[in-house]
Amino acid sequence: MFSKWWHYALALIVSLGVVGTALAGLAAALIYPNLPPLEALTDYKPKLPLRVYTADGALIGEFGEERRAFIAIEKVPTYMKQAIIAAEDERFYEHGGVDTLGVLRAAVSNLVSGGAKEGASTITMQVARNFFLSNEKTLTRKLSEAMLAIKIEHSLTKDKILELYLNQIYLGQRAYGFEAAARTYFGKPMRELSLPEFAMLAGLPKAPSRYNPVVNFPRAKARQEYVLGRMRTLKFIDQATWQAAVKQKLVIRQARQQTDVSADYAAEMVRQTLFEKYGESIYSSGYKAITTLRRAQQAAADLAVWRGIADYDQRHGYRGPEKEVSLPADKADREAAIANALEDLAPVSDMLPAVVVNVSPKLIRAQLEDDTVVEITGDSLKWVANWTSGKKGRQLAPGAVVRVQATGGKPPQWRLAQLPEVEAALVALNPNNGAITALVGGFDFHRNKFNRVTQAWRQPGSSFKPFIYSAALEKGYTPATMIDNMPLTLSAEEAGGTAWEPQNYDGGTSGPVRMRTALTKSLNLVSVRILQGIGPNYARDYIRRFGFDPARHPPYLTMALGAGSVTPLQLAAAYGVFANGGFSVTPYLIDKVYDKDGRLLMEAKPQTAGGSAPRVIDPRNAWLMTDMLQDVVRYGTGARAAKLGRSDIAGKTGTTNDARDTWFAGYTPDLVAIAWMGYDQPRSLGRHETGAQSALPIWMGFMGPALKGVPQLGWTMPAGIVSVNIDPNTGTRLPDSPIGEFLGNILGTHSEGMVEHFYQEFPPPDAPPAGWNTGIDTPGDSAPTLPGPPP
């Protein structure tokens, strides 16, 4: 009886097998002819984003719906291939597209569970699904997938199939393919990853959202250890290698940080330019744009702007929490209230949102979104002392929503921060060819995309004076020209609307001063008189040479104090004329653009000083202006820059009326940088804020690192300039003595007076008004000669 039962059972199994095989064969006969063609695989064209890089190879931007970077199979590290095979398809190089053992295992599991809940997808089947099919879990779709996998195996090599898989599969964080995932999660290309990092990536395909190390690192770590265990079982690695890999600490790049250096404003400028030229194709064609930015300079600029804004906020005090929430006594309700309060608040720069849970004069405890509680103590509490003590009606209480910031150290130290209301910008360029080497358009691009370097038209204040002084040199003035520094009243017609009494910044006056001294000390009264002497219309026309738009500079005497409008980039190009000896060089940002195959699509053809760039001012004019602007940073309003310890720096501060804009424009022979600070909706920065106080530190914060290790060059005096010993009090020439001349040549000053520099020709064809001392009155002595405008 028992023997007969087994006969029936065996007959039933054979019958089911025959019927199943027949049905499968029938289904295959019906499905196979209708499978899609494989051109998408044989002519694989992935959607590759536009990537933007610095001149030295740092990624600064990526634009496209998908983060993707194609990598050829021969360039994939062996450990990466082995980790994927261990995690996804250990018999990949043995089966013909369908793993029969895997199918039987899945079939048993699904039969037990009562539905199609477990698959047996090979890598080839996943390629079929990713390119042609949906992710629905039905028997029809699985059969189509299997048939298509067999067709793929008949048409492509194993390595080609694996290459398609490596580049096409979705791995979370908008990353498609393992090369893009390597950069997304670890911030480096696949070739630089370690074994544990390979294993972490190989664990993602099973469930990218579930095993995302940014979202849930413990779960991702467990999956990574499973992959490493499979690699050990398959003898891809030995016991010692496995043990070391499991123990190695992983550093995961956070979601927001997708670039090598922060340059979002510059990257957006590139995107806009290429979109105008190539349209929507830039987001999927794999273009590679190389900018003129330098990684180290860009990083220094970004940090300098952030520190400048932070220092300004420190000077002006804590404004209070962003909002306040009620914290229930019940622990669960309390945690929910904190989570709700932080849910919609994204980090800005490195300022993290947090909820204060405990406050005392000596300690603030605040909880972050991930439930971490940070402590703020010591000096970090000084600037919020009024809030922690409850003075002046202010109170920082539990439930306050604030920003906190790590300040370094182990364990990390924390400070209370606040989102700034003030903005700042910095741009730097090479004056000899116009290459923009650093550009920061504001505090945080993701908070406000308005690019203050290129889009903000602001009053330049005293940083505009050098262009008026340059015009004066062409009218016959000299650095030694004596000009009155007494009070001045201007009519409404002269001032452009209402009567005006200009004043020096400190409110002081004096008798006549030399033009050099006036620029060094930024004397407003003298600057207005200079413009009055040369004529506003002449000056308005003259500033075209520097690239300024005369329409934005009305021809009134207020132009002497920078009442017109400029952008920081425009001002940088204008100062570049002084730095390079008189040439107008157009700034540029995009150096080269390549297609996905490395073919050159675009290449800049920059102008060069002394080459294709037009000469716009006399080289003697440029040298004399630089010589005077060097005094500004030696003894004048920019003297703080002396801390950089360099002798090859020239520059000018700028502060507008009511301190609505503050500037510092400075340069060396090879680098011009402009720093600006102000509010987007212009208002006063504060009573004591000046270009020297708020903009110059930003400029120094950038130039210090940018010039580190760069030899000091200076500017060679051009032909056509003579050096003369003058009386510093009158600007008149003094007779030279052999000792005085010797000391003057060494020290730049004579014992009897000081050395000043003049154009060699005299008299100028367009001299100052009669009675003005041009600094060459030398009764009974031969005068140095002075030139007029260049031919």
Side-chain angles (χ1 to χ4, degrees), residues 622-756:
W623 188 88
L624 284 174
M625 287 307 307
T626 292
D627 189 56
M628 288 191 284
L629 289 171
Q630 284 186 284
D631 278 0
V632 173
V633 297
R634 289 170 181 152
Y635 326 111
T637 56
R640 190 172 183 176
K643 291 181 180 179
L644 294 178
R646 299 184 68 99
S647 61
D648 60 344
I649 291 175
K652 184 70 184 74
T653 52
T655 308
T656 64
N657 189 40
D658 203 25
R660 295 185 177 189
D661 297 274
T662 61
W663 300 81
F664 189 80
Y667 58 93
T668 67
D670 294 322
L671 187 63
V672 176
I674 306 295
W676 166 87
M677 180 176 283
Y679 288 97
D680 282 341
Q681 296 299 320
R683 60 187 173 95
S684 177
L685 288 166
R687 181 180 176 185
H688 299 295
E689 295 294 335
T690 63
Q693 174 77 354
S694 53
L696 177 54
I698 295 175
W699 186 88
M700 293 173 61
F702 165 74
M703 289 295 270
L707 296 176
K708 186 176 181 180
V710 177
Q712 298 191 46
L713 298 176
W715 291 267
T716 302
M717 182 189 294
I721 288 181
V722 293
S723 301
V724 177
N725 191 25
I726 67 165
D727 182 338
N729 298 313
T730 65
T732 56
R733 180 174 183 173
L734 294 174
D736 286 329
S737 67
I739 295 178
E741 185 175 355
F742 174 76
L743 292 174
N745 290 333
I746 296 176
L747 304 175
T749 180
H750 285 193
S751 58
E752 302 93 336
M754 64 168 290
V755 171
E756 189 53 270

Side-chain angles (χ1 to χ4, degrees), residues 306 310 313 346-353 403-405 415 417-420 443:
W306 177 84
D313 266 356
V348 175
S349 187
D350 59 348
M351 298 182 182
L352 306 180
R403 297 278 169 166
V404 296
Q405 194 173 46
R415 67 182 289 269
Q418 65 183 1
L419 296 183
F443 175 72

Side-chain angles (χ1 to χ4, degrees), residues 274-581:
L274 296 187
F275 181 82
E276 290 174 4
K277 186 174 181 66
Y278 299 109
E280 293 284 345
S281 65
I282 65 169
Y283 302 125
S284 58
S285 299
Y287 290 174
K288 178 180 179 181
I290 309 299
T291 69
T292 55
L293 300 181
R294 308 297 302 185
R295 178 175 186 160
Q297 288 193 28
Q298 181 63 33
D302 202 58
L303 182 60
V305 167
W306 177 84
R307 283 179 173 168
I309 290 175
D311 289 346
Y312 175 87
D313 266 356
Q314 289 279 327
R315 291 194 298 272
H316 292 267
Y318 186 60
R319 295 187 301 274
E322 294 182 30
K323 60 181 180 178
E324 296 180 9
V325 296
S326 176
L327 297 183
D330 179 77
K331 183 177 180 181
D333 292 343
R334 183 187 185 94
E335 294 300 316
I338 293 174
N340 289 336
L342 300 178
E343 184 177 10
D344 297 326
L345 296 178
V348 175
S349 187
D350 59 348
M351 298 182 182
L352 306 180
V355 174
V356 172
V357 294
N358 184 267
V359 181
S360 73
K362 295 185 177 180
L363 173 68
I364 296 176
R365 300 176 75 244
Q367 185 167 321
L368 305 178
E369 187 177 20
D370 64 359
D371 298 333
T372 301
V373 176
V374 302
E375 295 186 347
I376 302 164
T377 60
D379 291 342
S380 297
L381 291 174
K382 288 183 179 179
W383 82 304
V384 293
N386 287 343
W387 288 85
T388 55
S389 62
K391 293 181 180 179
K392 299 182 180 180
R394 299 168 174 173
Q395 184 66 51
L396 192 66
V401 179
V402 298
R403 297 278 169 166
V404 296
Q405 194 173 46
T407 59
K410 291 184 179 181
Q413 302 299 306
W414 294 84
R415 67 182 289 269
L416 195 65
Q418 65 183 1
L419 296 183
E421 294 178 349
V422 74
E423 280 291 352
L426 186 142
V427 61
L429 55 80
N430 182 335
N432 300 304
N433 61 13
I436 297 172
T437 56
L439 189 152
V440 180
F443 175 72
D444 186 82
F445 177 81
H446 299 280
R447 187 173 68 146
N448 188 330
K449 295 177 172 56
F450 182 68
N451 188 340
R452 293 150 194 88
V453 167
T454 60
Q455 295 176 297
W457 290 93
R458 308 294 293 232
Q459 289 188 340
S462 295
S463 66
F464 196 74
K465 288 177 181 176
F467 308 105
I468 304 300
Y469 281 57
S470 174
L473 290 178
E474 295 307 297
K475 277 285 192 176
Y477 289 71
T478 77
T481 299
M482 302 297 292
I483 304 156
D484 203 356
N485 187 34
M486 294 299 289
L488 181 65
T489 301
L490 302 175
S491 67
E493 182 180 2
E494 292 175 300
T498 58
W500 179 44
E501 293 185 6
Q503 292 184 332
N504 292 325
Y505 177 78
D506 61 2
T509 61
S510 70
V513 298
R514 287 175 292 117
M515 191 167 85
R516 177 183 292 274
T517 302
L519 186 60
T520 301
K521 296 183 177 180
S522 198
L523 299 178
N524 293 338
L525 292 170
V526 174
S527 299
V528 172
R529 281 192 167 92
I530 289 174
L531 182 57
Q532 194 176 40
I534 65 176
N537 285 300
Y538 170 77
R540 185 173 184 247
D541 183 64
Y542 183 84
I543 63 174
R544 290 178 190 268
R545 305 181 185 204
F546 298 92
F548 295 117
D549 179 4
R552 292 184 178 272
H553 300 270
Y556 303 110
L557 294 181
T558 52
M559 182 170 59
L561 307 188
S565 298
V566 302
T567 67
L569 181 57
Q570 191 181 55
L571 197 62
Y575 270 85
V577 176
F578 296 140
N580 66 31

